[in-house]
Amino acid sequence: MSLVTTHVLDAAAGRPARGIPVRLESGDTLIASGHTDDDGRIRDLGPERLDPGVYRLVFDTEAYLGPEGFFPEITVSFRITDPGAHHHVPILLSPFAYSTYRGS
C-alpha cells in the first residue's frame, strides 16, 4: 500500500465522490496523481516512502461539482514526520463546504 491515500465522500448526496482528479505535490513538484474510484477512494497515491516535509493534496472538485460548486479546488497541506507511516487524508464534500482530518 502507498504512503498517502484519500477518500472523498459527497456529504450532500450521501455517497462516494467518483472521478475526482487528485494531485500529490511538494513545493513545485508533482509527485503523483490519480482519480477517485467508484468508492471515492485513491488507494495508491505516490511512492511507498516520502521524505519528511510538507506535502499537498489538490482535489479538482470542479470536475465533480461543476461550475456551480463554490470550491473549484481544495488544497490540503499536511506534514509527514514519519517517512514509513501511512497517511490517509479524507474529504467530506458538499457544494458549499468541506472538511478534512487525518484518517486511519
Side-chain angles (χ1 to χ4, degrees), residues 26-102:
S26 178
D28 293 332
T29 303
L30 173 65
I31 296 171
S33 64
H35 290 74
T36 56
D37 64 14
D38 287 344
D39 195 32
R41 296 178 183 273
I42 299 179
R43 301 170 199 274
D44 187 17
L45 188 61
E48 292 183 13
R49 188 170 181 86
L50 292 169
D51 292 332
V54 176
Y55 294 85
R56 287 184 309 279
L57 283 175
V58 182
F59 299 81
D60 179 0
T61 50
E62 186 170 23
Y64 179 76
L65 295 172
E68 303 83 31
F70 186 70
F71 298 103
E73 182 177 274
I74 296 171
T75 301
V76 179
S77 296
F78 61 98
R79 184 179 313 275
I80 291 179
T81 56
D82 179 355
H86 174 229
H87 293 77
H88 184 64
V89 184
I91 297 282
L92 298 174
L93 176 64
S94 68
F96 299 102
Y98 69 88
S99 64
T100 187
Y101 55 95
R102 179 167 182 183

